[in-house]
Each structure stands twice: as C-alpha cells, then as structure tokens.
Amino acid sequence: MTKLQVRAFLYQLGCFAILFISFRFLIGSYTNLRGFWIPITAFVIGTILSPKFQAVKTKDGEKLFMSWLFVKGIKEIG
C-alpha cells in the first residue's frame, strides 16, 4: 500500500468511527431500540453518511479524492 492509500483508509476509518459513535449514543438515548439493534442501526447510518476516500494514480501522480453524499461531485484532497 502506498502512503496515500494508507491516508485514505485512515480518513475513511476516522470519519466512520466519529459518525458511528455519535449515532450509537443518539440512538441509545433517544429511541426505544434495545440490545444489538443499537450498534447495527448506528453501523448502517454511519456507513451511508460517511465520506468515501480513494487514492487514484493519474498521469500527474497519485492523488487523493473524496466523495460525499452532502457534497456535489468528487473533490480532490490536498
């Protein structure tokens, strides 16, 4: 794995973790779900809402791109 692929993986993991923990707390506090339904629901919501990062080799070299539900199109990161 290249440096940008590792960075893309860590960005994606970090964003998912933040959303998962946030939604797990919110679902546990404000809904009547019990047991294993709380983390399953938080996992699905976190997976859908988290941004997707990908390292792509272009003719100018390797670049990092992000796609997100709330941002139109694909954005180049640094």
Side-chain angles (χ1 to χ4, degrees):
M1 291 181 84
T2 64
K3 180 180 175 182
L4 281 180
Q5 287 175 333
V6 171
R7 186 182 294 174
F9 174 74
L10 292 175
Y11 283 167
Q12 194 155 336
L13 180 65
C15 291
F16 171 77
I18 290 168
L19 288 173
F20 175 78
I21 292 168
S22 301
F23 281 110
R24 183 175 171 144
F25 172 75
L26 291 173
I27 291 168
S29 298
Y30 296 109
T31 66
N32 291 326
L33 293 176
R34 298 287 176 240
F36 67 91
W37 290 107
I38 295 171
I40 289 175
T41 307
F43 173 80
V44 171
I45 293 171
T47 302
I48 292 171
L49 295 181
S50 66
K52 310 304 185 252
F53 295 92
Q54 187 172 13
V56 177
K57 291 184 181 179
T58 63
K59 61 182 176 185
D60 298 329
E62 196 171 28
K63 295 186 178 184
L64 186 61
F65 292 95
M66 178 192 78
S67 173
W68 196 21
L69 180 66
F70 302 113
V71 177
K72 189 174 184 177
I74 298 172
K75 304 291 182 190
E76 183 179 341
I77 307 289

